[in-house]
Amino acid sequence: MADEGPSAKRWLPLEANPDVMNQFLWGLGVPPDDAECYDVFGLDEELLEMVPKPVLAVLFLFPITQQSEEDRIKEDSLTKDPSAGVYFMKQTVGNACGTIGLLHAVGNITSEINLLEGSYLDKFFKTTANMNAQERAAFLENDREMEVAHSVAATGGDTEARDDVDTHFICFTCVNGQLYELDGRRSGPVLHGSSSSSSLLQDVAKVIQKTIEKNPDSLNFNVMAISKKV
């Protein structure tokens, strides 16, 4: 979760743990009976079918390697104008990628969930709705309430939080029938083709599998789904 941008600010990284993510989201305004994070234990069809549906977004944690950095630079040419109906923000705080992944997820599924009125997330998305990606990053960087909430979540996992990690969270979600990869270290959303609420997890699994195949010696991958509770 490398630093991005000019900011010298660094947070402790979030653990790839559904319990941590759920308490974080629920505490910020996502109703517990509306959406929940779940582990995705594997990318084959049988294990994907175990994940509660419908899946609204997917968080993917992967190792930062020379290969991943080369791919990021090369694929940045595929990024799409974030003004095209996609909520996107840059990352300027070190180790904030877990929080930004969650903000990318929730920011693009507000029509599917009912944020508690007056909650942190309700106010955050209303305030930043008309900002560009860099302005949203600056807003988050100076947001003390989120910094405290992130710190509480980061120290609430099963492992000791350290800031010298080499992994990174990104988010995948479907907007207007298209699958987008949302990574605050990129210049904008990456379009991966058509998708739908019924096929989102399977579509994301295909993209993730390609990343894993490029890093065959690493086991440091994690996939979580944010599913609507019905």
Side-chain angles (χ1 to χ4, degrees):
M1 301 180 194
D3 285 315
E4 285 297 312
S7 173
K9 182 174 287 188
R10 291 178 64 85
W11 294 352
L12 289 172
L14 293 183
E15 183 175 282
N17 181 326
D19 291 335
V20 169
M21 298 298 192
N22 283 328
Q23 294 305 316
F24 192 32
L25 286 176
W26 295 341
L28 293 174
V30 174
D33 60 352
D34 217 8
E36 185 170 348
C37 291
Y38 298 91
D39 272 320
V40 178
F41 293 109
L43 300 178
D44 60 75
E45 192 61 34
E46 183 177 347
L47 292 173
L48 294 178
E49 283 300 321
M50 293 174 59
V51 180
K53 309 293 190 304
V55 173
L56 303 176
V58 176
L59 296 176
F60 178 43
L61 181 75
F62 62 91
I64 295 176
T65 63
Q66 181 177 348
Q67 179 68 56
S68 70
E69 292 300 274
E70 290 174 355
D71 288 345
R72 177 168 67 98
I73 294 171
K74 180 172 61 177
E75 293 171 5
D76 229 23
S77 61
L78 302 176
T79 57
K80 187 175 178 62
D81 180 0
S83 65
V86 182
Y87 187 92
F88 178 77
M89 62 189 298
K90 293 286 288 179
Q91 177 183 345
T92 57
V93 177
N95 294 332
C97 57
T99 287
I100 289 174
L102 291 173
L103 291 174
H104 276 149
V106 177
N108 285 293
I109 60 174
T110 52
S111 62
E112 302 291 334
I113 58 178
N114 298 300
L115 294 176
L116 297 175
E117 187 172 355
S119 66
Y120 174 85
L121 289 176
D122 178 52
K123 292 184 290 185
F124 180 89
F125 290 118
K126 287 177 179 177
T127 301
T128 63
N130 295 319
M131 294 181 181
N132 62 35
Q134 200 65 44
E135 290 169 339
R136 289 167 179 163
F139 183 85
L140 179 67
E141 185 176 328
N142 294 305
D143 191 329
R144 179 63 179 166
E145 185 176 354
M146 174 55 93
E147 184 173 356
V148 171
H150 175 103
S151 178
V152 170
T155 56
D158 296 330
T159 57
E160 182 180 356
R162 301 179 299 108
D163 69 355
D164 58 338
V165 294
D166 59 354
T167 51
H168 184 64
F169 275 110
I170 60 175
C171 171
F172 293 90
T173 194
C174 180
V175 180
N176 297 325
Q178 299 294 315
L179 174 63
Y180 289 97
E181 173 185 335
L182 305 170
D183 179 350
R185 300 169 72 225
R186 294 185 182 275
S187 59
V190 178
L191 176 62
H192 285 288
S194 61
S195 187
S196 67
S197 58
S198 60
S199 67
L200 174 61
L201 185 58
Q202 284 77 10
D203 296 335
V204 173
K206 295 175 184 176
V207 178
I208 289 176
Q209 188 62 53
K210 293 178 182 177
T211 300
I212 293 176
E213 289 171 356
K214 292 179 181 179
N215 296 273
D217 298 327
S218 178
L219 299 175
N220 206 1
F221 295 96
N222 183 278
V223 183
M224 285 180 287
I226 300 177
S227 299
K228 185 170 179 61
K229 300 180 79 171
V230 294

